[in-house]
Amino acid sequence: MDIKKLQTLVVDALEDVKGQDIAVFETSHLTSLFDRIAIVSGTSNRQTKALAASVRDKVKDAGGQIIGMEGEETGEWVLVDLGDMIVHIMQAPIRAYYRLEEIWGDTPVKLGAAKRAPKKAAGDEPKKVSGHLAASKANVEAAPVIEKKTPAKKATAATAAKKAPAKKATASKAVGKTVKVAPTKTEAAAVKALKALPEKKVRAPRAAKPAADAAPAKTVIKRIKKVEA
C-alpha cells in the first residue's frame, strides 16, 4: 500500500474516535525499519483501546497489513505496527513523560485533507432557549467602574513665594548681644563679706606746708581810733 494512502487511513481512523493532538513524522532518514510514525493522545484506557481498534479495522478493510499490536491490556500506551508506519496511542501523562516527538519529530508531515475537522454529533448542537424566560438569559457581567482620581495640585513657584519664609536670626542682631553669667559661690561670698565691714571715716586732707623759699605772708593791723568823750 502507498505510504500516503496508509497515512490518510490512519489519520481518518484516529479522528473517527476523536483522538487528540494527532502528529505524523517522516522517519525514512532516521531508520530503515519504517517510513512514518504517528502519535496521538487518548483521555482514558477505553479510548486508547478504541483508537487502536479503529486503526486496525480501517487499515485491514482497505487491504493493508497489520504486523502486530502491543499494550492493549493496560491501555496506557498502545502500539500498532503497520509495517511502513508505526502508530503510538498514548495517554497524555505517558506522552509527556517519554516525549517521542523529541526523538522522531524533526520532520513533521502536513496532514492536509486527511486531517479534517471533527464531525459534530447530533447531540452537540446547542439547544434553543426561549427568550422570555428570565432564568434562561445569559448573565451580563457588570463592567467595573474605574474612578478617576483628581491629581494632587503641585506647589508652584508662585504659591511657594506667597508663603512667608521662616524668620532667621541675622548676623547683625547677634552682634553686641550681652549674656548674663551667674556669679560663682566664691564671688558671691566675697561681695557679702565686703558689705558686712564697717564704713571707714574719711580724714580731711592736710593743708600743704609752705615752702621755705616762699615769701612770708603780710599781716595788716588796723588801728582803731578812740572816740573822745
Side-chain angles (χ1 to χ4, degrees), residues 133-150:
L133 296 177
S136 62
K137 294 182 180 180
N139 295 329
V140 180
E141 295 182 358
V145 179
I146 301 174
E147 297 181 359
K148 294 183 178 180
K149 296 181 180 180
T150 56

Side-chain angles (χ1 to χ4, degrees), residues 140-195:
V140 180
E141 295 182 358
V145 179
I146 301 174
E147 297 181 359
K148 294 183 178 180
K149 296 181 180 180
T150 56
K153 296 182 179 180
K154 297 182 179 179
T156 59
T159 56
K162 292 180 180 180
K163 295 181 180 180
K167 295 181 179 180
K168 296 182 179 179
T170 58
S172 59
K173 292 183 180 180
V175 176
K177 189 175 181 180
T178 57
V179 180
K180 294 182 179 181
V181 181
T184 61
K185 292 182 179 180
T186 306
E187 293 177 351
V191 172
K192 189 175 181 181
L194 290 175
K195 289 181 178 181

Side-chain angles (χ1 to χ4, degrees), residues 115-146:
K115 189 178 180 181
R116 59 178 180 271
K119 298 178 182 178
K120 292 183 178 180
D124 295 342
E125 296 180 0
K127 296 180 181 180
K128 294 182 180 180
V129 182
S130 57
H132 68 279
L133 296 177
S136 62
K137 294 182 180 180
N139 295 329
V140 180
E141 295 182 358
V145 179
I146 301 174

Side-chain angles (χ1 to χ4, degrees), residues 2 6 25 42 44 63-64 130 171-172 176 184 192 224:
D2 184 21
L6 180 61
F25 303 102
S44 63
S130 57
S172 59
T184 61
K192 189 175 181 181
I224 300 171

Side-chain angles (χ1 to χ4, degrees), residues 6-225:
L6 180 61
Q7 172 184 300
T8 304
L9 287 173
V10 170
V11 173
D12 288 343
L14 296 174
E15 288 182 344
D16 289 344
V17 193
K18 297 182 180 180
Q20 298 179 358
D21 300 330
I22 301 171
V24 180
F25 303 102
E26 184 180 353
T27 58
S28 57
H29 61 291
L30 299 175
T31 180
S32 58
L33 298 176
F34 44 85
D35 296 335
R36 295 285 190 277
I37 184 173
I39 305 173
V40 63
S41 297
T43 57
S44 63
N45 297 356
R46 186 175 180 180
Q47 188 182 15
T48 55
K49 294 177 182 179
L51 289 167
S54 178
V55 172
R56 178 193 61 198
D57 296 341
K58 199 145 194 168
V59 172
K60 193 173 182 179
D61 293 343
Q65 186 180 6
I66 308 298
I67 304 299
M69 294 179 63
E70 297 179 5
E72 287 182 296
E73 294 80 9
T74 59
E76 294 181 354
W77 182 356
V78 183
L79 184 146
V80 182
D81 187 358
L82 305 176
D84 293 337
M85 188 171 183
I86 304 295
V87 183
H88 293 276
I89 305 169
M90 314 169 74
Q91 292 188 21
I94 302 298
R95 182 174 180 177
Y97 180 78
Y98 285 98
R99 298 179 182 179
L100 297 181
E101 289 89 345
E102 296 181 2
I103 303 173
W104 305 102
D106 58 343
T107 310
V109 177
K110 293 182 180 180
L111 301 180
K115 189 178 180 181
R116 59 178 180 271
K119 298 178 182 178
K120 292 183 178 180
D124 295 342
E125 296 180 0
K127 296 180 181 180
K128 294 182 180 180
V129 182
S130 57
H132 68 279
L133 296 177
S136 62
K137 294 182 180 180
N139 295 329
V140 180
E141 295 182 358
V145 179
I146 301 174
E147 297 181 359
K148 294 183 178 180
K149 296 181 180 180
T150 56
K153 296 182 179 180
K154 297 182 179 179
T156 59
T159 56
K162 292 180 180 180
K163 295 181 180 180
K167 295 181 179 180
K168 296 182 179 179
T170 58
S172 59
K173 292 183 180 180
V175 176
K177 189 175 181 180
T178 57
V179 180
K180 294 182 179 181
V181 181
T184 61
K185 292 182 179 180
T186 306
E187 293 177 351
V191 172
K192 189 175 181 181
L194 290 175
K195 289 181 178 181
L197 293 175
E199 295 183 357
K200 293 181 179 181
K201 295 181 179 181
V202 181
R203 295 179 181 179
R206 295 178 181 179
K209 293 180 179 181
D213 298 334
K218 292 181 180 182
T219 58
V220 178
I221 300 172
K222 292 182 178 182
R223 292 180 180 180
I224 300 171
K225 291 180 179 183

